[in-house]
Every structure is written in structure tokens, then in C-alpha cells.
Amino acid sequence: MSATETSTKGPAATGRGASPALRAQHVLHEHPWVSPLVLLVLSIVVFTSLNPDFAQPRAISLLLQQTAVIAALGVGQTLIIITGGIDLSVGAAAILACMSSALLSSQHGVPAPAAILIGVLIGALCGLVNGALVSRINLPPFIVTLGTLSIFTAITLMLTGGSTVQGSKMPGAMTAAGTRVPLFGLDLNVGIIVVAVLYLAVGYALGFTAWGRRVFAVGDAPEAARLAGISVSRVRLSVYIVAGVIYGIAAWVLIGRAGAASPNGVVDANLASITAVVIGGTSLFGGRGGVIGTVLGALIVQSFAIGLTLVGLDDEYRVLAVGVLVIAAVAADQWIRKVRS
Amino acid sequence: MTESTRRPVLSARGIRKTFGRVVGLDGVDLDVFPGEVLAIIGDNGAGKSTLIQCLTGALVPDGGTLELDGTPVSFRRPQDAKDVGIETVYQSLAMSPALDIATNMFLGREIRRPGPLGSVFRLLDTKAMREKSMAAVQQLGIRTIQNPGQRVETLSGGQRQAIAVARAAAFGSKLVVLDEPTAALGVRESGLVLDAIKALRDRGLPVILISHNMPHVWEIADRIHIQRLGRCAGVITSSSHDMTQGVAIMTGAATL
């Protein structure tokens, strides 16, 4: 490598002389949330032009209500994917937390705040199991969470026998996340606000604390992180536990949204949350991404669902579109990552 | 000053490290004295990198003892060595490409804002870390780096190496270990790194330097430790032996 090369390479690629494609690549590389934002705006513009109802407060409120739970689970999934992992057990862990707190409050007379707290702790425990297996025994996250997906699901079925707990059987606070909150002319609910706070908190922790910097470092270059004196396994473990806590909170949001606790709740949440994360520009290879992209990704998927329904197309078109989007998003990520070399 | 009157900063005795059946280090002794540049040379596979990894906590030796300022120490992980003031620039660079320069400089020892923002909300002091990073880089005389918020992956190999050396220089209080610091650099930036090493020595901070570049070694090293086949083949100085003799010992064509 020559001295002249060293002094020009970095700045020149982003300078005025660069081609538009190269400049776009650099902008996306620096800000992974730009592409999902453009896509969401495009989706809103296209669907609104096809059916003006799409831009009405009613449709936007529905969009936010339907996105809340997946967006919440996506926060945990984002953290794990940034460390280079993946969590297939996300939905199963959330349902286990959800059913445990529902059963405790409806059949065992546990007060709602305690039941909700226990739900969050069960989520944390699920994360601890995943995290310990990944970080201490060094098993691949894909296999670990594939296993715990089955285990958590089985435990839920053993506890519930497969039956749903109706909202009317639970204390009011259990379903309080569904309480309507009119805001900015929209029909929001407590759950949406809780999820928004969750995003702010995790976004802050990722962007502005040492822990967040270390989460990225561990996903980007684990050996470099270790040599810098960071305990890679401790950071990984903490990420899985934090994700579990988030799943526990999402479980309460889910009960409020559904008005009941069902063991068949968010069964496909693993794929839906991974989809949101990937469309949101977070790299499956770890070390790059963030939560802003994930909420945009979740909104894109849900806007397709609502938009295509308003246009009069069946749900399979949404499934088709999401499939195309996921592959396109990963392809885009590969292209963006080429900046590195 | 003679060696018998000086106490070594770091003293290693009988360091052994095996990898399965392969013997990486077979009982190596090494002393580093205050304010000297000790070069380690040797052919590929002679155990140079293994040796410094054992001295800096990146590898845990199977046998042997380490003393720092006369006190026995043992490092189980890189942080243990950092905690006592031994900083290392590894051949693999040890940089996180997706993170920016300042974040990499302070990775593992981040600075938080003063007051409750830092203690309660754990808010990083990005501004302070960027300023200190720039100061550390400029102390090395590296002028091609202007923006401490730039991601490391957008830097050239030479620029990355410069950051790594600046980081070690900024945090090392007892010893700085450099594994092939000029291997990826052009002539001008190599000169900057060599000047930085001299500046460290003049501050009284000892430096261990692994290098394949014999002219660099003979230019800068006070003593030269020659590794051969997992053992120390001898310690020479640039005045006691010339480069040809040094290389002969290194390859086994001559013995000390």
C-alpha cells in the first residue's frame, strides 16, 4: 500500500468527483435507515394515490396499532442481530411470558402489576437461557434459538393446555395496553406509547452509551473487541437478556392489543421481526444497523398489508411483496458493505 | 549503564506455549529495560507473535514466569495487561471497521460525561473522546487524518495502523508492544511511526518491536532479540552485529 493511496482513499470516495451510485452507496453505508425511510415514503405515496383512504387518520391509526407488537419484538431482535446473532425463539418467548402472566392474574389471584413484572422476568429468563448457551458454551445462535423455540412453545402448551385466557377473566391492568389514547388526531393506545418509549430507550443506549458501542464492536469484529479488553461473552449475554426483557414488555402490549392472551398469538413473530430488522437496513452479518430502521421496516410490511387490502388485493400479494423486499434488502446490504474493501 | 545495574521493566523467564503437538515457545527468556527499544526478529513460525501474545495477555502461556518491575504478574486476558500499563498494537490491527476513529481509540475505556448525565444516564462524552483522539494522532505527526468521527473502514491500512499506534502510545504507561507496525505502511508513514517510537523511548517508555524490516530494526533498536524455532537464539545490538550477521543467526546459518 503506497503513501499516496493512504492519504487520498477515504475522502475521495465521498467527494464531488465520485459517481452518483458510489455516493449513494456511501450515504446508505453511513445511514442504514435511509433506504427503508425512502421505501416507506414511496409505499405511502403509491398507496395513497391508488386509494386516498390510505392517508386518512383511521388507516394510519390502524397501521400503528398493528405494527406495535412486531415493532417491539423487533427491538430485541435488532440488538441480537447487531451482535451477529439471530433469535428464532422471539415469538415463543413472548407467548410464554404472555401466557404466564395471564394465567397468574386470572387463575391464581396474582395482582396485575406483579403478574406483568413476572411476565417480564420470564422474558428475561428466556433471554438468559439463549444468551448463556450462545455466549458461554459458544453454540451457534441459530441452533440455540431453534431449540428454545420448540422448548418455550412446549412449556407454554403444558401450562395452558392450548386454551386462550379471555381479557374479561383478567384484572383490567392486564389489558391496559389496549386503552385508547387520542393524540394528534390519531387513535393511538397505551401499547403504542410504551413501544415508542422502548425505541427511545434502546436507541439511546445503542447510540450514546459505552454498552451500545460495545454491542456494535462485538458484532463487527469480536476479536478486535476482545483485544480492546471487552468481555465479548458478557456483552453477548447482556444483549440476549435485554432482548428477553423487551419480549416480556411486548407480551403485555400483545395482551392489550388482542384483548386476550392466546397461545397461538404471534407464532410467526420470529420471521416477521427478522423481516422488519433486515428491511430496516441492519446487517445480518452484525456490526451495522439500528432500531430506527427496524421500526421503519415493521411499518413498511404493515403498510403493504393495509395498502393492498385497500386496493382490493388479497393477502398473498403482501406475502409475495415482503418476500421480494427481504431478498432485495439483503442484496442491498451486500452492495453497501462493499465500501469496506 | 550496564544491564546488571538496571532493573528490567518486564522480565520473562522460561515462557512455554504449545498448540496441540506444536511447540510454539520452548522456554524463552526476555528482559525489557526502561527507555529502550527491544526488537524481536525471527523467521516465520519462530514464535515472535506467540511470544508477545504471551507477554500481553492475548495468550496464556503453559509455563514460565513474568515479572513487572520485579513483581510477579500473570495475565489471563488482554485487559489484565492493559490494567498495568502494557499496550499492544496487534498485527491483526484490533480495530472495529464499522466504528469511528474516536470510538475505536476509546473502545473498552470510554469517557462518560461529567455529572449525573454520565453517572446515571451513562451518556458518552463523544466530544472529549474525539478531541483526545485527534490530539493523540497529531502527537504522532499523522496529518492525513482530519476527522475523528470517520469510520475506520474508510481508512487505508496505513491510516488504521497509525491510529492503532497512537492508541497504544496514548494509553501505555509501562510498555508499548508493536507487532509489525510498519508492515502495511508506505515509506513516509513508516518514517512517522519510527519517529513516534523514538518519541516514546525518549519519554522513558520502553517499546518491544516485532519487525521483518531489518533496516528499520537496525535503525531504531537498542537491543535485538533473535527468535529461532521457538527459542531465543541470542540477543545482539546493532553495533555488535551487522544485518547480515543478524539474519544468519535468525536463519540458523550462524550461531551466537
Side-chain angles (χ1 to χ4, degrees):
Chain A
M1 216 158 285
S2 74
T4 43
E5 200 181 347
T6 42
S7 56
T8 54
K9 198 174 175 184
T14 45
R16 264 162 292 172
S19 75
L22 204 59
R23 246 179 298 167
Q25 193 180 23
H26 270 268
V27 169
L28 293 176
H29 190 254
E30 201 63 29
H31 309 288
W33 47 269
V34 170
S35 39
L37 182 65
V38 170
L39 197 58
L40 181 62
V41 170
L42 241 128
S43 142
I44 290 171
V45 169
V46 169
F47 284 123
T48 307
S49 67
L50 292 172
N51 187 335
D53 283 349
F54 189 81
Q56 294 305 306
R58 207 175 138 265
I60 293 171
S61 303
L62 184 68
L63 172 64
L64 295 173
Q65 289 166 17
Q66 289 185 345
T67 308
V69 172
I70 287 301
L73 296 175
V75 178
Q77 188 73 261
T78 307
L79 288 173
I80 289 172
I81 289 181
I82 288 174
T83 66
I86 196 150
D87 190 355
L88 299 178
S89 74
V90 41
I95 295 285
L96 180 55
C98 163
M99 294 315 294
S100 308
S101 55
L103 286 176
L104 285 172
S105 64
S106 66
Q107 296 179 10
H108 301 280
V110 175
I116 293 165
L117 184 66
I118 292 171
V120 172
L121 290 176
I122 286 175
L125 187 67
C126 292
L128 176 68
V129 171
N130 284 334
L133 291 169
V134 167
S135 68
R136 306 286 148 155
I137 314 182
N138 278 321
L139 298 176
F142 185 91
I143 297 301
V144 166
T145 57
L146 184 63
T148 53
L149 161 63
S150 291
I151 294 168
F152 298 157
T153 307
I155 295 173
T156 304
L157 290 175
M158 288 172 200
L159 288 175
T160 62
S163 52
T164 297
V165 179
Q166 293 304 327
S168 55
K169 302 253 171 60
M170 291 182 262
M174 288 301 296
T175 52
T179 309
R180 291 175 57 181
V181 179
L183 206 63
F184 314 121
L186 295 173
D187 184 17
L188 305 185
N189 59 39
V190 172
I192 292 173
I193 291 161
V194 167
V195 174
V197 171
L198 205 56
Y199 267 86
L200 288 177
V202 175
Y204 173 83
L206 268 182
F208 300 98
T209 72
W211 178 78
R213 303 284 84 195
R214 292 169 182 196
V215 168
F216 280 100
V218 161
D220 183 44
E223 183 62 11
R226 187 182 78 86
L227 292 173
I230 292 171
S231 169
V232 173
S233 67
R234 197 178 305 169
V235 171
R236 285 216 175 103
L237 182 63
S238 73
V239 161
Y240 281 87
I241 294 173
V242 169
V245 169
I246 293 168
Y247 303 157
I249 296 169
W252 177 67
V253 175
L254 175 64
I255 297 175
R257 163 82 192 133
S262 160
N264 309 315
V266 280
V267 278
D268 58 350
N270 48 12
L271 295 182
S273 64
I274 293 167
T275 301
V277 172
V278 168
I279 293 177
T282 294
S283 171
L284 282 174
F285 297 95
R288 214 175 63 83
V291 289
I292 304 173
T294 301
V295 71
L296 295 171
L299 285 169
I300 288 167
V301 172
Q302 213 44 248
S303 74
F304 273 48
I306 295 172
L308 292 171
T309 310
L310 284 177
V311 176
L313 285 170
D314 291 331
D315 193 52
E316 51 261 35
Y317 287 92
R318 174 190 64 88
V319 178
L320 181 75
V322 168
V324 172
L325 267 185
V326 168
I327 293 172
V330 174
D333 178 48
Q334 292 282 37
W335 176 66
I336 292 164
R337 283 168 58 87
K338 282 192 190 145
V339 170
R340 168 170 301 195
S341 51
Chain B
M1 250 193 294
T2 59
E3 283 185 19
S4 56
T5 62
R6 290 191 303 170
R7 195 174 67 173
V9 175
L10 185 74
S11 176
R13 287 291 170 270
I15 302 292
R16 280 184 52 81
K17 180 73 189 176
T18 55
F19 303 95
R21 282 183 179 174
V22 180
V23 179
L25 295 176
D26 191 9
V28 177
D29 296 350
L30 178 142
D31 287 306
V32 194
F33 293 94
E36 75 166 349
V37 175
L38 174 71
I40 301 178
I41 60 171
D43 219 339
N44 289 338
K48 305 184 297 292
S49 284
T50 310
L51 178 59
I52 62 132
Q53 285 183 305
C54 286
L55 301 181
T56 57
L59 285 175
V60 180
D62 301 326
T65 57
L66 274 183
E67 283 186 4
L68 185 73
D69 287 335
T71 316
V73 286
S74 73
F75 306 135
R76 314 305 296 178
R77 52 202 180 95
Q79 189 61 46
D80 296 343
K82 281 174 192 289
D83 288 345
V84 297
I86 298 177
E87 281 293 320
T88 313
V89 177
Y90 297 96
Q91 207 168 18
S92 57
L93 287 166
M95 288 272 169
S96 181
L99 299 179
D100 62 55
I101 292 171
T103 305
N104 266 289
M105 281 280 249
F106 285 88
L107 197 58
R109 49 193 153 209
E110 296 82 357
I111 301 177
R112 293 204 299 263
R113 287 277 190 88
L117 278 178
S119 57
V120 180
F121 294 99
R122 323 298 280 182
L123 182 62
L124 288 175
D125 196 339
T126 309
K127 189 163 165 271
M129 289 193 286
R130 290 189 175 182
E131 283 170 2
K132 283 173 197 266
S133 301
M134 275 318 278
V137 167
Q138 278 161 358
Q139 251 177 8
L140 273 186
I142 312 280
R143 266 170 269 283
T144 60
I145 290 159
Q146 301 297 337
N147 174 14
Q150 199 177 346
R151 289 184 195 229
V152 165
E153 63 200 343
T154 63
L155 301 176
S156 70
Q159 288 173 317
R160 292 184 200 196
Q161 191 64 281
I163 306 286
V165 174
R167 177 172 66 180
F171 292 104
S173 61
K174 288 283 182 197
L175 173 67
V176 171
V177 180
L178 306 168
D179 188 355
E180 299 274 9
T182 56
L185 303 193
V187 176
R188 207 177 67 84
E189 278 188 329
S190 287
L192 290 175
V193 172
L194 293 179
D195 287 346
I197 295 172
K198 287 174 193 160
L200 289 180
R201 176 182 55 194
D202 295 345
R203 266 163 44 187
L205 194 63
V207 175
I208 295 181
L209 168 73
I210 291 190
S211 184
H212 269 120
N213 189 315
M214 296 304 147
H216 285 173
V217 168
W218 256 259
E219 177 192 339
I220 200 169
D222 297 299
R223 293 187 307 132
I224 300 161
H225 170 119
I226 305 173
Q227 243 341 92
R228 174 165 162 72
L229 302 175
R231 292 166 178 272
C232 176
V235 181
I236 61 173
T237 68
S238 53
S239 48
S240 73
H241 293 72
D242 64 23
M243 265 186 249
T244 318
Q245 292 168 316
V247 171
I249 299 168
M250 193 176 107
T251 54
T255 49
L256 194 67

